[in-house]
Amino acid sequence: MSDTPFGFGLPPEEPENGDEGKKKDPAGGGQGSGGQGGDNPFGANPFGFGGLPGMGGLPGMGGPGGADNPFAAMFGSLNPNDLGAAFQQLGQMLSYEGGPVNWDMAKQIARQVVAQGTSDGTKDASVGPAEKAAVEEAVRLADLWLDGVTSLPSGASTAVAWSRAEWVEATLPAWQQLVDPVAERVGAAMGDVLPEEMQAMAGPLIGMMRSMGGAMFGQQIGQAVGALAGEVVGSTDVGLPLGPAGKAALLPLNIETFGKDLGVPKDEVRLYLALREAAHQRLFAHVPWLRSHLFGAVEGYARGIKVDTSKLEEAVGQLDPTHPEQLQEALQQGMFQPEDTPEQKAALARLETALALVEGWVDAVVHEAAKSRLTSADALRETLRRRRASGGPAEQTFATLIGLELRPRRLRDASRLWASLTDARGVDGRDDLWEHPDMLPTASDLDDPDGFVHREHLDFSEIDKMLGEAAQRDGDDEGKDDSAK
């Protein structure tokens, strides 16, 4: 991860045809540094919004000419025609009055990044009829195979084949729900550092800071989501439901890139990835509390973000309005840090365990469905496990956005536990555990899977039935009292 958070420069203009950028990256698409923190779930700079995969040469992304001074990157190398566009973008930044993130800017920049293509030279393209038909057939067959290995019915009412640009459009609402709580917490801190009696006098400055903050978040999110669009193969790559409910989505162009060096037939790669997408869709469609459980853990993490107000106050006090890049430099000095409290640790543990259980269940049921039908099932399973558990582009992008790694660290443990549950209790007994969050294995259960498999569990369906009957009786009694009155 780059040391330059909120680094922003002018992205190349998006051409009318959406395929070719008007300006080429002179340095090529270098690979950004990862900046991972080992066992620490946070990188060395959790809010270092820079250096994304394939974005090394973009101004303001840690590339040549933009690493030290993002405003120099924005203005220094532009010709007179581009200078007007740069000032227009700066005007948009300073005039923004919406929420904590300028999502219009995020969408615009994400599409521009997609139009540039990936570092291997692959350009986005519309999905043709043949590819759409192949995806629909793969998802239909995947659902048929999954019917025999899980009691959860199909969760996909439609199967769609997306281009990278379509993936951006479809997933931005989910990114908004994930990122807004963090951006709002940071933005509030930026406006609250001045004493109350000074805030009225400093109103324009505070407004400018909030506008710039929203724009900078928007630009970085747009760049990150645009880069991620060149890597993902479906709508559930990060273990969260990013796309619309009921839509199993695959990206044919990225599937082809993913399977290019695996030595596996393209049809098998597509079908295996369709199995994973369809399995995720079943889980999120028929476990109604799961989405809010995962997103709530991210919000819990956001509430624990601590802002070093002393550094922010110092930065505001020394800010020269004629040099707004000073705020940029101040933001990279580690003011936003995860607060090491029991609540913060609990939110992280809750999210990591939930992600491991989701990915472990998908891994187990997909393997069961594919092992006797696809000759490459074992190889594809191992490839996806490594890609998911070692922190692939999807996880790195999310870490870049909010400092949180969506890495299911205990994927293999969770997969073994679900497989053991299948052997001991059958498919129905295993899937019944998704009826209530309190019935699911915990982090300690992943350490002792045999103990959990053979433990007696409460039947929450019976408890819910009793509570429902009690509520019905109370309602009937109230109705009788009203009639008597």
Side-chain angles (χ1 to χ4, degrees):
M1 204 175 296
S2 169
D3 292 331
T4 306
F6 299 103
F8 55 95
L10 181 66
E13 297 178 8
E14 183 179 18
E16 294 180 1
N17 60 14
D19 292 330
E20 302 253 353
K22 290 184 180 178
K23 291 191 295 185
K24 304 297 183 181
D25 177 2
Q31 186 76 8
S33 59
Q36 300 302 317
D39 294 331
N40 187 341
F42 302 96
N45 183 357
F47 287 89
F49 295 130
L52 293 172
M55 300 295 291
L58 283 179
M61 292 297 292
D68 298 327
N69 188 338
F71 281 86
M74 179 180 285
F75 300 119
S77 61
L78 298 182
N79 61 44
N81 292 331
D82 291 332
L83 192 58
F87 278 114
Q88 182 180 9
Q89 185 185 28
L90 183 59
Q92 292 174 352
M93 292 171 60
L94 298 180
S95 63
Y96 174 69
E97 297 180 352
V101 178
N102 188 332
W103 286 102
D104 290 336
M105 179 175 287
K107 177 180 176 180
Q108 176 187 2
I109 292 176
R111 290 183 63 89
Q112 291 172 344
V113 172
V114 165
Q116 282 189 317
T118 52
S119 58
D120 62 359
T122 305
K123 298 287 187 179
D124 193 23
S126 300
V127 181
E131 292 172 317
K132 291 181 179 179
V135 166
E136 292 171 357
E137 175 61 20
V139 172
R140 186 198 64 78
L141 185 56
D143 260 335
L144 184 63
W145 289 3
L146 289 172
D147 284 339
V149 295
T150 174
S151 63
L152 300 180
S154 174
S157 57
T158 57
V160 293
W162 284 340
S163 66
R164 293 167 179 171
E166 288 171 327
W167 182 89
V168 168
E169 295 275 354
T171 61
L172 272 180
W175 289 115
Q176 183 171 355
Q177 185 176 352
L178 287 166
V179 176
D180 267 352
V182 179
E184 186 173 359
R185 177 74 184 90
V186 172
M190 291 176 68
D192 294 341
V193 293
L194 293 178
E196 185 175 349
E197 61 273 13
M198 294 181 61
Q199 289 194 17
M201 294 185 294
L205 176 61
I206 295 174
M208 183 188 75
M209 291 174 62
R210 286 178 172 165
S211 296
M212 290 183 64
M216 289 187 290
F217 263 112
Q219 181 155 22
Q220 291 300 331
I221 291 165
Q223 290 169 329
V225 172
L228 180 56
E231 302 284 351
V232 293
V233 296
S235 70
T236 55
D237 281 30
V238 298
L240 297 171
L242 295 179
K247 279 191 176 182
L250 295 176
L251 282 72
L253 178 60
N254 291 354
I255 290 175
E256 183 173 354
T257 302
F258 170 79
K260 183 169 55 177
D261 299 324
L262 297 180
V264 177
K266 181 179 177 180
D267 290 345
E268 288 200 18
V269 175
R270 184 195 302 113
L271 184 51
Y272 193 87
L273 295 176
L275 281 166
R276 289 182 54 83
E277 177 75 10
H280 277 104
Q281 293 293 336
R282 289 184 181 227
L283 202 55
F284 290 120
H286 300 291
V287 183
W289 53 266
L290 183 57
R291 178 187 174 94
S292 60
H293 181 76
L294 291 168
F295 281 61
V298 175
E299 292 178 7
Y301 160 82
R303 286 192 296 270
I305 292 174
K306 179 176 65 176
V307 178
D308 189 337
T309 57
S310 62
K311 288 185 179 181
L312 194 52
E313 288 171 358
E314 182 180 355
V316 173
Q318 298 178 356
L319 182 64
D320 182 351
T322 64
H323 293 86
E325 72 273 12
Q326 290 178 359
L327 177 62
Q328 168 91 5
E329 295 168 359
L331 289 172
Q332 74 181 38
Q333 301 304 318
M335 288 182 292
F336 310 126
Q337 298 179 5
E339 189 173 2
D340 192 15
T341 65
E343 294 79 11
Q344 188 77 351
K345 290 179 179 179
L348 289 172
R350 178 177 163 218
L351 180 60
E352 286 188 349
T353 301
L355 286 171
L357 292 174
V358 169
E359 294 298 288
W361 183 87
V362 168
D363 180 80
V365 300
V366 167
H367 180 68
E368 187 65 26
K371 65 181 181 180
S372 62
R373 296 181 172 100
L374 297 178
T375 57
S376 57
D378 289 337
L380 289 169
R381 182 191 200 189
E382 187 60 26
T383 299
L384 267 298
R385 276 183 167 187
R386 291 180 180 180
R387 185 177 192 253
R388 191 70 184 92
S390 64
E395 175 270 322
Q396 291 173 9
T397 296
F398 199 82
T400 300
L401 290 179
I402 67 168
L404 191 64
E405 293 180 358
L406 289 175
R407 183 184 302 179
R409 299 176 183 277
R410 308 196 64 180
L411 168 60
R412 294 176 188 271
D413 294 336
S415 182
R416 282 194 292 269
L417 186 146
W418 288 118
S420 298
L421 282 168
T422 307
D423 294 338
R425 304 185 185 183
V427 168
D428 291 344
R430 177 200 66 200
D431 293 346
D432 283 348
L433 294 179
W434 290 106
E435 290 182 1
H436 195 282
D438 291 342
M439 295 177 68
L440 286 178
T442 63
S444 60
D445 292 326
L446 296 179
D447 296 326
D448 181 23
D450 290 337
F452 179 84
V453 168
H454 300 291
R455 188 185 310 156
E456 291 295 328
H457 291 274
L458 291 173
D459 187 348
F460 280 83
S461 62
E462 290 298 322
I463 296 177
D464 290 340
K465 181 179 178 182
M466 293 170 59
L467 292 174
E469 292 174 349
Q472 181 64 38
R473 286 196 299 270
D474 291 342
D476 292 343
D477 291 341
E478 290 179 2
K480 292 178 181 178
D481 292 342
D482 291 340
S483 298
K485 291 178 182 179

